[in-house]
Amino acid sequence: MATKLEYIWLDGYKPTQSLRSKTKIEKDFSGKLEDCPLWSFDGSSTEQAPGGSSDCVLKPVFICPDPQRKDAYLVMCEVLDSKGQPHESNGRAHIMDDDNDFWFGFEQEYFLWDPKTDKPLGFPAGGYPGPQGPYYCSVGANNAYGREIVEEHLDVCLDAGLNVEGINAEVAAGQWEFQIFAKGAKEAGDQIWVARYLLERIGESYGVSINWHCKPLGTLDWNGSGMHANFSNTTLRTANSKETFTAICEAFRPAVAECVEVYGAHNELRLTGKHETASITDFSYGVSDRGASIRIPLYTVDHNWSGYLEDRRPNSAADPYKVAAVIIKTVKSAKV
Ligand code: ADP
Ligand code: MN
Ligand code: MN
Ligand code: MN
């Protein structure tokens, strides 16, 4: 039997990498990752190699069923250079100290975008809908735009075996969120990237694009898009101690520049101190504080200071591999 393997990778564009993919047909494929062969592509077309020496290598690292195609799988890949070394664009290979004791819940926000009007779904041509307020977690054709896309994406992700934990309409018109929970930086990153891929592909069939920019409506009074990173390790989950949470939050203070570096492009446009964000130049943390850099969820306080933290600074276009990696590194630097 012929099986379709969709090899997915991240290109070399800066400052934000995009998804690329192509289909490989394999005969009598086992369904196992170890039976996915290495493959190659033209890196000169993805900003990953010069034309004179254009081959880059695709190394499969994650596989799941492709529910939208017959006899098919999605295969997330790392990019290697022509010598077989991790390409500099390969954030996954550069995760230094992955650790499955670190659990991540990413809240991926995005806009459903109408390429014809170059505005979010729900924005009338040449104008604006009513101001923010009624759209968050809304129902009804006045306020919720594009639900059929969001629902189809949810079902496809679940059928693929991705660990989606929920979805909701967001604060701006045409803005939505899904949450994915996974253990370890690589696993969490793989799942987010495959979920992003599926959303992009589903959008195609509706003629709707996905806008991952963190502030696509600029300085107007509309929320930007984040990718809040909720995280915990055994220390946080079993702390029973406010001091432990304080020490771990404080470990993020000297790491602000290192974190912000990988928290997504153009984040200065989003982290303004307005629209439920902290200023990009400040560092703060607080219980239930959605204007802080790091929020200590009420859950954590209610569980006698055991639980998790939410770094609210990563944006919708950030690379989850890099976000998770810097969080692991920073938490491990804490004096607890
Ligand atoms: P918000 O109130 O910020 O919108 P959400 O419900 O959208 O919160 O997202 C919360 C996320 O926190 C979920 O993805 C969930 O998986 C994650 N989460 C919950 N507990 C933990 C934990 N112990 N470690 C890591 N992530 C967690
Ligand atoms: Mn959320
Ligand atoms: Mn949200
Ligand atoms: Mn959140």
Side-chain angles (χ1 to χ4, degrees):
M1 191 180 68
T3 303
K4 304 181 198 87
L5 304 183
E6 192 70 7
Y7 276 44
I8 303 168
W9 73 96
L10 302 179
D11 68 21
Y13 276 67
K14 289 176 181 164
T16 303
Q17 295 173 268
S18 287
L19 289 157
R20 307 284 179 132
S21 75
K22 59 176 184 168
T23 307
K24 189 173 199 342
I25 303 298
E26 283 287 303
K27 295 268 157 52
D28 303 319
F29 179 65
S30 69
K32 297 201 183 101
L33 181 65
E34 59 261 34
D35 292 321
C36 295
L38 296 179
W39 203 17
S40 60
F41 68 98
D42 169 14
S44 73
S45 297
T46 59
E47 311 256 298
Q48 283 163 311
S53 146
S54 64
D55 277 9
C56 287
V57 175
L58 293 172
K59 178 188 167 195
V61 293
F62 174 89
I63 188 169
C64 64
D66 185 345
Q68 293 188 295
R69 290 166 111 186
K70 191 167 153 281
D71 302 324
Y73 293 87
L74 301 163
V75 181
M76 192 69 207
C77 296
E78 287 188 10
V79 174
L80 310 180
D81 63 21
S82 55
K83 298 189 191 72
Q85 296 303 309
H87 193 273
E88 59 114 356
S89 65
N90 180 349
R92 190 182 189 279
H94 294 107
I95 297 171
M96 280 308 144
D97 190 14
D98 201 5
D99 185 341
N100 287 352
D101 184 47
F102 277 76
W103 300 355
F104 293 98
F106 284 115
E107 302 169 56
Q108 174 74 65
E109 295 177 342
Y110 59 92
F111 278 86
L112 294 176
W113 205 260
D114 184 343
K116 291 201 263 328
T117 59
D118 198 26
K119 287 274 165 49
L121 293 194
F123 276 52
Y128 291 91
Q132 289 187 164
Y135 306 110
Y136 172 72
C137 295
S138 62
V139 62
N142 280 340
N143 294 322
Y145 305 104
R147 188 185 300 277
E148 65 278 24
I149 301 174
V150 176
E151 289 290 334
E152 185 174 336
H153 178 245
L154 176 60
D155 278 336
V156 169
C157 285
L158 292 172
D159 287 347
L162 302 182
N163 202 24
V164 181
E165 294 216 314
I167 55 171
N168 59 272
E170 265 303 335
V171 173
Q175 189 187 33
W176 294 83
E177 169 179 311
F178 62 84
Q179 303 102 33
I180 285 189
F181 174 87
K183 298 179 180 178
K186 289 183 178 172
E187 174 74 23
D190 293 339
Q191 291 213 21
I192 286 285
W193 277 116
V194 171
R196 286 177 178 180
Y197 177 87
L198 289 168
L199 186 56
E200 293 267 16
R201 201 173 66 182
I202 290 164
E204 286 175 21
S205 60
Y206 292 87
V208 170
S209 67
I210 312 305
N211 194 325
W212 305 105
H213 194 286
C214 69
K215 201 71 184 173
L217 296 163
T219 54
L220 299 169
D221 205 11
W222 294 95
N223 273 31
S225 296
M227 186 179 65
H228 297 164
N230 299 273
F231 61 91
S232 63
N233 63 354
T234 297
T235 304
L236 287 165
R237 288 190 293 273
T238 61
N240 286 324
S241 154
K242 182 179 178 181
E243 290 67 40
T244 299
F245 274 80
T246 303
I248 289 175
C249 287
E250 283 296 335
F252 281 82
R253 190 183 296 282
V256 165
E258 191 183 1
C259 290
V260 167
E261 171 81 22
V262 296
Y263 280 0
H266 313 302
N267 222 359
E268 70 285 351
L269 303 176
R270 166 179 165 261
L271 297 180
T272 58
K274 289 195 287 188
H275 301 116
E276 302 176 51
T277 70
S279 164
I280 196 165
T281 53
D282 293 346
F283 176 77
S284 59
Y285 54 91
V287 174
S288 268
D289 187 352
R290 287 174 193 267
S293 313
I294 295 182
R295 175 171 68 101
I296 303 169
L298 207 50
Y299 172 97
T300 294
V301 181
D302 285 347
H303 289 76
N304 192 31
W305 290 91
S306 296
Y308 64 101
L309 288 168
E310 177 194 47
D311 193 332
R312 300 177 58 79
R313 297 170 295 170
N315 78 32
S316 46
D319 180 347
Y321 296 130
K322 294 177 185 164
V323 173
V326 80
I327 287 174
I328 291 174
K329 181 179 173 196
T330 307
V331 170
K332 287 189 173 180
S333 76
K335 295 179 182 58
V336 290

